[in-house]
Every structure is written in structure tokens, then in C-alpha cells.
Amino acid sequence: MYLPKLFHIFNGTKSVSNRLETACSFYSESRFFSYCSYHARIGYPWDKVGNGAEQQAQKSGASLEVWGSYGKNQDDFLKKLEVAIQSKVDGIIVQGLDTDRFKELTKVKAAFYGIPIVTVGNDVPKTESLRKTYVGSNQHLAGMMIAKLMLSDMGQVGQVILLSDSQKEYYQEERLSGIKEVLQSFPNIKTIYAETPETREQVIAKTRDLLNQYPDADGFIAVNANTAGAMIQEIGRRGQVEPYFIYSFDDGSESMTLLNQKKLDGVIEQSPEMMGRKSVDVLMQWLKNETVPLDADGYSSEIRMIKAMDER
């Protein structure tokens, strides 16, 4: 009897729960392989993606393996991906990493062995990676939603600073395109775009520079959610956080804490368990020739806007 084998790999931080670490040690002798990374988005609940994948694997009669590594170790992540490909597994589910080496592994090595790649959570350009499909949030739509909420709260006049990651990852570019699509329709909104490396010290320094250069700024959007905490720390050091309209996404380690503290006015919440379930489902459909080809544009999971509870 053919028993598909799924293999999930997480690459996160030491703050991830012991339960995830235990899940990462599970192995099986069946054939199918699902691989999921947790590279750039520290704090994102990848254990929930794994839970959803496990649920769907059991429902589909597949086994699931999970590998984990801790810390933002890109080399370790890519080595694990290469091992998965060299093992000639049936399929790989992986968080997209927008680097040349990742794209070479998926476009050249995985394609050589005929291994289908499904990206989850983070996508990469389909023509550059030859992935079969993507499962996760529509990041362009998420950007539009957060910009519309800001306009609703702030009004249609003001200065807005968009703070992004200097690595220019694809998911951030998609968010930015959605934000800019909305804001460009409002001539009295001045948009300031800035980039920063992700270290806390560098984010603080960049925020300080921006506050000096644009003292009349009204709002901030942390496009890379991992910058939100340091950005707000520097804003608070200079004065009160409350007068500013500040927004971000749920895939930062401090996002929900900052929202609960009402230091963020709103956060885009994603659906990690749904991502896990759907990624297994579509890959199983492809392996069984039930859906060929898969939708190259991807399968979107639910997103919603969460607002801080208090009134200004």
C-alpha cells in the first residue's frame, strides 16, 4: 500500500515551544516529504502550520515528519532543503525564501528529480523557482487592507512612513505594492518609504533618523513585522506613542503583545493552520493526478484585520 510521507522542517527561534521541538523529532518509513521552514519571520506560529499539516496528513492517509532548527540560520535551512531534494522524496512543502540559492535548489535540483515544490506562508516568484503553487496569505491584499484601515483611522491627509526590510523579500514587496496601490489614490497623503536591516539596533537608528527628518509624520506601517517592536520603542523614547497611527502584521515576535498593549492600532492576522491543511491537500491532489496542473497563482488563506480595542 502506498503511504505518502510528509516532512515538515521549521527554522525558528529558541522561544518556540517544547511541543514543537518534540514534533520535530518524529520520523516514519513512508515515502512522501513535506518541508516547511521558519526563516525570516521570527515569532510566526509555524507550529500552527505544522498542526494543520498533521491534521490533513492523517485525514489523507499520509505520514508526517517534522525537522526543526532554531535561530535565523539560512544556511542550515538551505542544507536541509538540499538533503530533502537529494533524498528524492515525492514532494516538498517549504516556506519560500527569496534568494538565488533557494531558487537554484527548487528550479534546478528539485526539477531534475521531478520533485514538486509547494511554497507555504512566504512565496517566491513562480517563474524564478518553478514551484507548483503557493498556499498562504494574499500579501498584496493584506497590504491594501492595512492601508485602508489606516486611512479610516487617520483620515485622508498626513505623512505615512513605510518601514521595510533591506533584504527586499518577495512577500514584503507584495505587501508594499498593495499599500501603495491604495495610498497613491489620495493626493494629500505623503508616503515615505524607508528600508532598514532587521537588527534591533539598526531599526532603532533608522526610526530615529526618520523622526528627525519627518517630525510631522502621522503614521507608520511596519511592512516587516519584526521591525515593529524596535520602531515603537524609539517612537516611545522620543515622546508618546498614542498620537501616531501604527500598523503591522501578525508574523512578528512582538506583534500581538504590542497590539494588546495598544501600541499597535491594528494588525493583519493570518491563518496558519489553514495554510498547513491546504498545502498538504493540494500536493496530495497533484500526486494523485486529481488536480493537474495546480493553480500556479496559488491558493489564498484567510486574513483579517484586528484592531486595538480602545478608542482614541
Side-chain angles (χ1 to χ4, degrees):
M1 176 181 175
Y2 173 72
L3 181 63
K5 176 179 178 180
L6 290 84
F7 204 127
H8 244 77
I9 298 180
F10 291 78
N11 181 19
T13 67
K14 293 181 180 179
S15 63
V16 178
S17 68
N18 289 333
R19 183 176 59 80
L20 173 57
E21 192 167 7
T22 301
C24 291
S25 65
F26 173 74
Y27 294 89
S28 138
E29 296 303 322
S30 47
R31 291 184 55 214
F32 180 78
F33 186 104
S34 170
Y35 176 101
C36 182
S37 165
Y38 179 52
H39 164 61
R41 300 163 72 178
I42 297 175
Y44 190 68
W46 278 106
D47 53 340
K48 294 184 179 180
V49 179
N51 290 342
E54 285 180 317
Q55 294 168 14
Q56 188 63 37
Q58 292 174 2
K59 182 178 178 181
S60 303
S63 66
L64 176 66
E65 289 192 12
V66 181
W67 278 2
S69 60
Y70 298 97
K72 281 187 59 181
N73 191 330
Q74 187 179 124
D75 287 338
D76 184 56
F77 157 53
L78 293 170
K79 286 176 183 176
K80 285 185 169 69
L81 176 57
E82 189 163 14
V83 168
I85 294 170
Q86 291 174 346
S87 299
K88 301 179 183 179
V89 295
D90 295 305
I92 296 174
I93 300 172
V94 58
Q95 180 186 339
L97 181 61
D98 195 9
T99 67
D100 290 340
R101 187 178 170 199
F102 177 89
K103 293 169 190 173
E104 179 187 4
L105 287 172
T106 58
K107 189 173 184 178
V108 179
K109 291 194 174 182
F112 177 79
Y113 290 115
I115 300 171
I117 300 288
V118 172
T119 53
V120 63
N122 279 8
D123 198 14
V124 292
K126 56 189 175 183
T127 56
E128 298 176 18
S129 64
L130 293 186
R131 53 97 171 130
K132 293 297 181 185
T133 192
Y134 161 69
V135 177
S137 303
N138 181 329
Q139 301 291 356
H140 180 87
L141 177 61
M144 294 182 66
M145 287 172 61
I146 213 165
K148 289 178 180 178
L149 177 63
M150 171 177 271
L151 290 171
S152 175
D153 291 343
M154 187 181 76
Q156 299 178 11
V157 178
Q159 291 185 350
V160 176
I161 293 176
L162 310 179
L163 188 60
S164 191
D165 190 333
S166 56
Q167 291 186 17
K168 297 182 181 295
E169 291 208 43
Y170 183 66
Y171 79 94
Q172 291 183 50
E173 294 296 317
E174 289 291 288
R175 288 175 179 176
L176 276 170
S177 68
I179 294 168
K180 291 177 179 179
E181 181 177 328
V182 172
L183 296 183
Q184 69 185 4
S185 300
F186 296 87
N188 293 321
I189 295 289
K190 179 181 179 180
T191 303
I192 299 111
Y193 174 68
E195 295 180 356
T196 176
E198 201 174 295
T199 69
R200 196 169 191 89
E201 295 76 14
Q202 290 168 312
V203 175
I204 288 172
K206 173 57 72 172
T207 304
R208 183 184 306 123
D209 291 344
L210 289 167
L211 289 169
N212 288 335
Q213 191 173 357
Y214 303 100
D216 296 325
D218 300 288
F220 292 80
I221 298 177
V223 181
N224 176 356
N226 289 317
T227 65
M231 182 185 77
I232 290 172
Q233 177 183 328
E234 179 60 20
I235 293 171
R237 193 189 67 82
R238 297 281 294 264
Q240 295 295 316
V241 173
E242 184 178 347
Y244 296 97
F245 297 87
I246 308 175
Y247 305 85
S248 194
F249 301 80
D250 73 341
D251 49 1
S253 59
E254 301 174 88
S255 294
M256 303 314 293
T257 298
L258 292 168
L259 184 72
N260 291 334
Q261 293 172 345
K262 303 181 176 54
K263 293 179 180 179
L264 279 171
D265 293 283
V267 165
I268 291 285
E269 184 182 54
Q270 304 177 82
S271 303
E273 288 192 356
M274 182 184 296
M275 294 181 199
R277 291 194 300 270
K278 187 65 176 180
S279 61
V280 172
D281 181 46
V282 297
L283 190 46
M284 290 294 293
Q285 290 180 38
W286 190 89
L287 289 169
K288 294 178 179 179
N289 288 316
E290 295 175 353
T291 304
V292 178
L294 296 173
D295 187 345
D297 291 329
Y299 300 85
S300 295
S301 53
E302 293 179 3
I303 54 176
R304 69 188 184 106
M305 197 78 217
I306 305 177
K307 291 190 64 175
M309 296 303 293
D310 64 333
E311 295 290 334
R312 285 186 174 271

